[in-house]
Amino acid sequence: MHPHLFRDPVQMAYLLMFVTLLHLITLAMLFIATMEKSWWVWDGMENSDLWYNCRFDNDTGTWLCASSKETEWLQSVQVLMVLSVVFSSVSFLVFLGQLFTMSKGGLFYFTGLCQVFAGLTAFAAALIYTLHNQEILQDSRKLTEGHFGYCFILAWVCVPLLLISGVMYIHLRKKE
């Protein structure tokens, strides 16, 4: 966005609200993708995430979970997703601080760079999981009987949203 594109304070307010809302929605999606139990699903009764392998017990009506077997690939996906959440959280906190402390006309470079790093780490994590899911899920049931779950898809959806919001922050100028 060109710095003179939004001269009207109302337009700037809408842009600020949009960027903030996009950031919060993306951060929530990223957190859900990292913590929820659905990176790989078998028949709806068994699933695997970054931390646990879970099976639904019909007798008790509860999910029985055991820690996932730690592989180097799984650990790298775990670390990258946690880093992505941290980068995006730091980015939001820095953005809030900059709103109140930065001088008029200042750019949100650090906030934007943190968002871009969050997008790149989420991209690396999702890509590693895509390419190495056989090694990550090695002791689980046959992979051909399962499919990627919604948390995996959320991680991929977060990548462009994080990158777009990072670029928006970099081009956003503080007015008044």
Side-chain angles (χ1 to χ4, degrees), residues 7-160:
R7 289 181 185 253
D8 182 18
V10 174
Q11 288 177 327
M12 279 305 293
Y14 283 134
L15 179 63
L16 186 61
M17 285 189 301
F18 174 76
V19 170
T20 304
L21 190 61
L22 176 63
H23 194 137
L24 290 174
I25 289 169
T26 306
L27 183 58
M29 289 171 42
L30 196 58
F31 188 77
I32 290 167
T34 304
M35 301 307 296
E36 192 55 39
K37 296 177 179 60
S38 186
W39 275 66
W40 192 266
V41 178
W42 293 272
D43 68 27
M45 299 300 281
E46 188 173 347
N47 59 37
S48 182
D49 65 10
L50 300 181
W51 316 101
Y52 297 102
N53 290 322
C54 299
R55 181 180 53 81
F56 188 75
D57 184 5
N58 282 328
D59 295 333
T60 62
T62 59
W63 285 94
L64 304 173
C65 298
S67 293
S68 297
K69 183 175 181 196
E70 294 290 325
T71 66
E72 290 176 3
W73 292 118
L74 178 60
Q75 288 176 342
S76 64
V77 174
Q78 289 170 336
V79 166
L80 288 166
M81 286 303 292
V82 169
L83 268 175
S84 186
V85 171
V86 168
F87 276 131
S88 189
S89 299
V90 166
S91 174
F92 187 70
L93 293 174
V94 168
F95 172 67
L96 291 177
Q98 287 177 324
L99 276 177
F100 298 108
T101 61
M102 190 174 14
S103 61
K104 180 181 175 182
L107 295 169
F108 298 93
Y109 284 128
F110 186 73
T111 300
L113 287 175
C114 283
Q115 275 298 86
V116 168
F117 284 140
L120 293 174
T121 55
F123 172 74
L127 186 62
I128 289 169
Y129 197 88
T130 302
L131 298 175
H132 297 284
N133 60 23
Q134 288 183 328
E135 292 96 336
I136 291 171
L137 300 167
Q138 62 188 349
D139 289 340
S140 302
R141 293 175 45 193
K142 270 181 116 176
L143 290 180
T144 56
E145 297 173 6
H147 56 86
F148 290 108
Y150 77 92
C151 289
F152 171 80
I153 295 165
L154 268 181
W156 275 112
V157 168
C158 284
V159 171

